[in-house]
Amino acid sequence: MYSLHEGSAVLLLLLPLLAGLQIAEGRGTTPCRLGFSEDVYKVVLPDIAEIGQPLFNVRFLDCGRGGLVHFESSHPSDFRIESDGVVYAAKSLKQSTLPVSPLLIKATDSTTQEQWVSQVKLMPPASTSSQVQDVSVPPVMSKDLKEIMFPSRNMDSQLKRMKRDWVIPPINVPENSRGPFPQELVRIRSDHDKNRSLRYSVTGPGADQPPTGIFIIDPISGELSVNKPLDREHISNFHLRAHAVDLNGNQVENPIDIVINVIDMNDNRPEFTHQIWNGTVPEGSKPGTYVMTVTSVDKDDPKTANGMLRYKILSQTPESPTSNMFTINNKTGGIITVAAGLDREKVPQYTLIIQATDMEGNPMYGLSNTATAVIRITDVNDNPPEFTAETFFGEVPENRVNVIVANLSVTDKDQPNTPAWNAVYKITGGDPTGRFSVPTDPTTNEGLVTVVKPIDYEISRTYVLTVEARNEVPLARGIHPPRQSTATVSIRVIDVNESPYFEPNPKLIKLEEGMLPESTLTTFTAQDPDRFMQQSIRYSRLSDPANWLKIDPSTGRITTIAVLDRESPYVKNSLYNATFLATDSGIPPASGTGTLQIFLLDINDNAPKVFPQETEICQKPEPNAINITALDEDLNPNAGPFAFELAHKPSDVRRNWTITRISGDYAQLSLRIGFLESGIYEIPIIITDSGNLPMSSTSYLKVKVCQCDINGDCTDQQQIMAAGLGTGAIISILLCIIILLILVLLFVVWMKRRDKERQAKQLLIDPEDDVRDNILKYDEEGGGEEDQDYDLSQLQQPDTIEPDAIKPVGIRRLDERPLHPEPQYPMRSAAPHPGDIGDFINEGLKAADNDPTAPPYDSLLVFDYEGSGSTAGSLSSLNSSSSGGDQDYDYLNDWGPRFRKLADMYGGSDD
């Protein structure tokens, strides 16, 4: 009854060996998989199915287990399924009444309660052309992978009978795989690749959606691979969709769904929800008494042995009176007593070490974890509470609640702060109306006699209560409560001034709206509950939202001071609420409030108005109708049905328009002529209501006539302008733009003025006062103070003289420095701005101090060396082209004492 359609495209999915399937050329053996034979069934239903008609059947594989399986349908009112898997119509079905597909079929094992679910896609007969047909599986590829035929599409328009459904089984991949990666899972192929080149891709979570990059596909070969280890505890399954397109991006095959299930591995230890568990058990408990339950969770799959836990007790401390005082349910973790002899006075507490192991408790393969269970032995109630006095006294003002009247104290010999010591108080007499309660103070264990309901002095002036004290747990067997467990409480009531009260409250009256001012409505008076006090009551208005009423201070008579209007915003659902205050003359005075509810009956005092007030219509009559209605603030029968009529003036209204009544509340406005120019027209419409005295009004309907498209929507520019901003918004935007332009203009003017001021400031500086123009370079070393009459042009830089004027290298004075490269002195920065002259001097001083070639100040300085190739050659006219040995320097002695040193240096002997 299921079929696959013939088609030109076949997409092959190749499953890996890890799936446990080996298929070659469409033949092979498949291991039995417990569950439905198909995950998704596609069923073609007839147009009409009678009740009890068999529709289809689902096959369930029990793999020889022989257990009883019960089937259920997600739509039991429409489909009934028998134990053999045949599905019948539960009622007469039609295609129009079919439930939303898919239909879910659930199978339940009656023994293990294990469940399986399959989907059934219900399809009408016309959709059979989209089904696929069986195709043979081609020979397997070079890798040992399973090939699964992809549903192909029928190329002609003829419908063919469905043979069976096409089901792609899920791909099972174990988690925490060690690779190598990428690891091939399936190969996707299409029979279209025989005559053209195709490209394959997959989409979905894990591929192109977060988490991305887990699954990749070779676009040419179609091999789908997993790119990293999977974690079932993070994502248990992936739903991908495979695509096949040609080189132009055109779809060749319909996409198919691929489900990848992550197989669980035992990679998580059991984790106790608490590391320390606390429990209690009464002393003297019988064996089998429940103590507590410890629980542990395992992130692995609970349906497999990886997540099935078992519990056991490893140790007990202390081992008294025996080492096995407790036992634990290995599946549920419940701890119970197994031995008698629990005595709080001997052993007040036990400590157990609990172990949880997965793999159903297998010690060899399972993972384990431990926790501590602390069991406290509680006291048994063998001592009843006893009152410290026989009678207790108290007093309370009337009408006070949650007031403590008296404190009742008791003694108990049991262990403090235990259920056997905590007292519970109960009133056994003297309070038939339940106006008192006796809760327990958790700190002092006293009974707090508390008023829980108001007490009226005028009804009862005193109360005598009988109170019994017990413990939170019953007394031990054989022990009876003594006489001291009961006491008497005497309570005196104090009279106070009580507030007057209105009766009834609220008070409801019904009136017609439109009552004139100074009309009497009713009398609203209050009663004084203080019978033993002679007091008077005065009235005042407390809340009157519409300011319609006033009340007589002495009599409570209420009259109107304005016209009552049911359509007022202060009236809700025809009901108007006003609150009045009654105050007595007591000391201090007491007051009470009362609410007057006025139900206003409607009269026809409001004319109807057209709705909506603005609408659109096309220039041409087709389609060209506007549905309108009327709004009337009155209620029925003073509102609808309404009568609609076009006004007689202006005359072009009835010539261009026509109005037709649709129902009692609606009418239809349409064009009478074949074409109307675009624009906005105000059409006067006379609307009359149905009141006993009808009221009518002329409402103006603003109609925008515009050019329309084929869908009847306005397309002209006027619509765009109408949908734009309002006048106020446009003015605000223009003001913002003008302000912004003014700010920009002011900024530009300020910048220009700043530049002019800067230029004017520079012009005010005298060039002669500029320090930079007065800094001279004194790098030439002339004669001494008494030898200044020489030609300074001779001290010019060597680089500026002619080469032939340089002194020959071989002609040197004896006291000249040796010829070697001049040292490179540190470069000093150029003269700075005159304002920074101090910094310039400091930088020059620092450079001079750090110059390694500068001699100390107390050394002999030589100023006669002007550098290599200096045109001066010497500081005097003693220069000669002859050598020093041929020159007679004795005449220098005649020049004076200043030249005597030179005579000694050059005129002396060789010694």
Side-chain angles (χ1 to χ4, degrees), residues 396-403 435 450-456 494 496:
V396 59
E398 65 173 332
N399 300 322
R400 297 284 298 276
V401 294
N402 298 324
V403 177
R435 299 184 180 275
T450 308
V451 180
V452 295
K453 293 182 180 180
I455 300 174
D456 192 352
I494 302 175
V496 296

Side-chain angles (χ1 to χ4, degrees), residues 688-760:
T688 306
D689 59 20
S690 299
N692 189 12
L693 296 176
M695 295 192 67
S696 62
S697 66
T698 300
S699 298
Y700 288 88
L701 176 63
K702 184 180 292 185
V703 180
K704 179 178 181 295
V705 180
C706 58
Q707 297 178 0
C708 298
D709 54 14
I710 57 175
N711 298 322
D713 298 328
C714 285
T715 59
D716 56 358
Q717 186 65 24
Q718 294 181 357
Q719 181 183 8
I720 299 176
M721 296 175 60
L725 299 174
T727 304
I730 295 175
I731 293 175
S732 301
I733 294 175
L734 292 177
L735 289 177
C736 293
I737 294 174
I738 293 173
I739 294 173
L740 182 61
L741 292 177
I742 292 174
L743 292 176
V744 173
L745 181 60
L746 291 176
F747 179 75
V748 172
V749 172
W750 177 78
M751 290 296 295
K752 289 184 176 181
R753 180 175 299 176
R754 183 182 177 187
D755 292 341
K756 290 181 179 179
E757 291 177 354
R758 184 181 302 172
Q759 295 174 3

Side-chain angles (χ1 to χ4, degrees), residues 509-570:
I509 60 175
K510 294 184 178 181
L511 301 170
E512 277 192 355
E513 64 172 328
M515 290 191 65
L516 299 178
E518 301 300 331
S519 300
T520 301
L521 301 184
T522 184
T523 301
F524 199 20
T525 58
Q527 306 296 326
D528 193 345
D530 295 316
R531 295 178 298 172
F532 303 100
M533 299 181 183
Q534 300 298 325
Q535 301 177 142
S536 60
I537 299 177
R538 295 187 64 82
Y539 303 94
S540 61
R541 185 178 61 175
L542 182 63
S543 173
D544 184 12
N547 197 24
W548 286 345
L549 309 174
K550 68 177 180 179
I551 186 170
D552 188 280
S554 301
T555 63
R557 185 167 60 92
I558 299 175
T559 57
T560 62
I561 58 177
V563 178
L564 305 184
D565 185 7
R566 192 198 64 83
E567 289 75 30
S568 171
Y570 302 104

Side-chain angles (χ1 to χ4, degrees), residues 64-84:
R65 298 201 321 175
L68 180 61
V69 178
H70 175 68
F71 295 95
E72 295 180 69
S73 167
S74 61
H75 299 279
S77 61
D78 299 326
F79 301 93
R80 174 175 52 87
I81 183 169
E82 298 293 338
S83 58
D84 57 354

Side-chain angles (χ1 to χ4, degrees), residues 801-875:
I801 63 175
E802 296 296 330
D804 54 354
I806 299 176
K807 182 180 67 175
V809 178
I811 303 174
R812 298 179 61 251
R813 282 173 39 191
L814 293 178
D815 58 346
E816 282 186 353
R817 294 185 181 182
L819 295 176
H820 55 80
E822 295 181 0
Q824 299 295 325
Y825 297 98
M827 295 296 296
R828 298 182 181 178
S829 59
H833 192 274
D836 301 330
I837 191 64
D839 297 336
F840 171 75
I841 295 175
N842 292 330
E843 290 178 2
L845 178 60
K846 183 177 180 182
D849 293 340
N850 297 329
D851 187 0
T853 62
Y857 294 108
D858 55 353
S859 62
L860 179 62
L861 302 180
V862 180
F863 297 97
D864 60 340
Y865 180 66
E866 298 298 331
S868 61
S870 175
T871 57
S874 175
L875 296 178

Side-chain angles (χ1 to χ4, degrees), residues 605-824:
D605 57 348
N606 291 278
K609 299 179 181 179
V610 68
F611 182 82
Q613 296 180 352
E614 296 182 2
T615 185
E616 295 178 352
I617 195 170
C618 298
Q619 290 178 326
K620 297 183 179 180
E622 297 297 336
N624 229 16
I626 303 172
N627 292 333
I628 61 174
T629 184
L631 298 179
D632 196 329
E633 295 180 355
D634 294 325
L635 300 178
N636 289 328
N638 296 323
F642 303 101
F644 300 88
E645 180 185 4
L646 292 174
H648 294 274
K649 294 181 181 181
S651 59
D652 58 347
V653 173
R654 289 178 172 262
R655 184 175 64 253
N656 297 338
W657 305 89
T658 181
I659 190 168
T660 304
R661 182 175 180 179
I662 300 177
S663 62
D665 294 333
Y666 291 90
Q668 191 174 73
L669 179 69
S670 59
L671 280 174
R672 180 186 295 273
I673 60 178
F675 178 81
L676 188 62
E677 291 293 337
S678 298
I680 297 179
Y681 298 84
E682 291 188 352
I683 303 175
I685 300 177
I686 302 174
I687 307 176
T688 306
D689 59 20
S690 299
N692 189 12
L693 296 176
M695 295 192 67
S696 62
S697 66
T698 300
S699 298
Y700 288 88
L701 176 63
K702 184 180 292 185
V703 180
K704 179 178 181 295
V705 180
C706 58
Q707 297 178 0
C708 298
D709 54 14
I710 57 175
N711 298 322
D713 298 328
C714 285
T715 59
D716 56 358
Q717 186 65 24
Q718 294 181 357
Q719 181 183 8
I720 299 176
M721 296 175 60
L725 299 174
T727 304
I730 295 175
I731 293 175
S732 301
I733 294 175
L734 292 177
L735 289 177
C736 293
I737 294 174
I738 293 173
I739 294 173
L740 182 61
L741 292 177
I742 292 174
L743 292 176
V744 173
L745 181 60
L746 291 176
F747 179 75
V748 172
V749 172
W750 177 78
M751 290 296 295
K752 289 184 176 181
R753 180 175 299 176
R754 183 182 177 187
D755 292 341
K756 290 181 179 179
E757 291 177 354
R758 184 181 302 172
Q759 295 174 3
K761 185 176 181 181
Q762 293 180 357
L763 293 175
L764 293 175
I765 300 177
D766 191 355
E768 296 181 356
D769 296 336
D770 193 352
V771 181
R772 291 174 294 182
D773 296 339
N774 298 328
I775 297 178
L776 303 178
K777 183 176 181 183
Y778 296 97
D779 55 350
E780 63 276 331
E781 297 291 342
E785 292 82 359
E786 299 178 5
D787 190 13
Q788 296 293 331
D789 189 16
Y790 56 86
D791 188 7
L792 294 178
S793 62
Q794 299 298 321
L795 299 178
Q796 61 182 336
Q797 297 293 339
D799 298 336
T800 62
I801 63 175
E802 296 296 330
D804 54 354
I806 299 176
K807 182 180 67 175
V809 178
I811 303 174
R812 298 179 61 251
R813 282 173 39 191
L814 293 178
D815 58 346
E816 282 186 353
R817 294 185 181 182
L819 295 176
H820 55 80
E822 295 181 0
Q824 299 295 325

Side-chain angles (χ1 to χ4, degrees), residues 78-333:
D78 299 326
F79 301 93
R80 174 175 52 87
I81 183 169
E82 298 293 338
S83 58
D84 57 354
V86 179
V87 179
Y88 298 85
K91 64 179 182 180
S92 298
L93 299 177
K94 296 181 180 180
Q95 285 293 336
S96 59
T97 61
L98 286 178
V100 179
S101 182
L103 174 69
L104 299 181
I105 303 296
K106 181 173 70 173
T108 305
D109 193 315
S110 302
T111 303
T112 64
Q113 299 301 319
E114 191 174 3
Q115 295 182 350
W116 300 266
V117 178
S118 179
Q119 295 184 4
V120 179
K121 293 185 177 180
L122 307 177
M123 308 176 66
S127 64
T128 56
S129 60
S130 63
Q131 303 300 311
V132 293
Q133 183 179 358
D134 287 338
V135 292
S136 60
V137 179
V140 293
M141 306 296 291
S142 59
K143 295 185 179 181
D144 193 6
L145 300 175
K146 178 185 176 183
E147 298 183 353
I148 298 179
M149 310 300 293
F150 184 88
S152 59
R153 297 177 292 182
N154 187 17
M155 302 306 294
D156 54 18
S157 60
Q158 298 180 356
L159 300 179
K160 296 193 176 181
R161 179 174 176 79
M162 307 287 291
K163 294 184 178 180
R164 69 175 183 85
D165 195 5
W166 179 269
V167 178
I168 299 176
I171 303 171
N172 297 326
V173 180
E175 66 172 336
N176 303 325
S177 175
R178 296 184 178 180
F181 294 102
Q183 179 179 352
E184 294 82 2
L185 300 180
V186 295
R187 177 180 290 112
I188 302 174
R189 291 187 56 207
S190 170
D191 59 355
H192 282 288
D193 62 359
K194 298 177 182 179
N195 51 19
R196 69 175 98 172
S197 296
L198 302 181
R199 293 295 181 266
Y200 304 95
S201 62
V202 290
T203 58
D208 63 339
Q209 301 177 15
T212 59
I214 297 180
F215 299 97
I216 59 176
I217 186 172
D218 190 312
I220 299 177
S221 65
E223 290 184 359
L224 178 64
S225 305
V226 60
N227 206 29
K228 60 180 68 174
L230 304 179
D231 187 0
R232 189 203 68 85
E233 288 72 34
H234 183 219
I235 301 178
S236 59
N237 56 71
F238 296 87
H239 294 264
L240 305 178
R241 173 161 288 194
H243 307 268
V245 298
D246 57 16
L247 296 181
N248 295 326
N250 298 321
Q251 178 177 313
V252 177
E253 301 285 1
N254 290 329
I256 61 171
D257 294 328
I258 301 175
V259 179
I260 300 177
N261 293 329
V262 183
I263 305 303
D264 183 47
M265 305 296 289
N266 191 19
D267 57 346
N268 290 279
R269 289 182 178 273
E271 296 290 341
F272 283 91
T273 55
H274 301 286
Q275 195 59 33
I276 299 179
W277 298 81
N278 295 297
T280 59
V281 61
E283 62 176 331
S285 297
K286 297 180 180 180
T289 302
Y290 171 78
V291 180
M292 61 191 303
T293 299
V294 297
T295 57
S296 179
V297 295
D298 196 318
K299 295 181 181 179
D300 293 322
D301 190 356
K303 297 181 181 179
T304 64
N306 300 333
M308 296 181 181
L309 307 181
R310 296 295 183 266
Y311 301 91
K312 71 175 182 179
I313 298 177
L314 296 181
S315 64
Q316 169 191 308
T317 304
E319 298 181 354
S320 175
T322 65
S323 60
N324 296 318
M325 296 296 295
F326 305 92
T327 185
I328 188 171
N329 188 307
N330 65 342
K331 292 184 179 181
T332 64

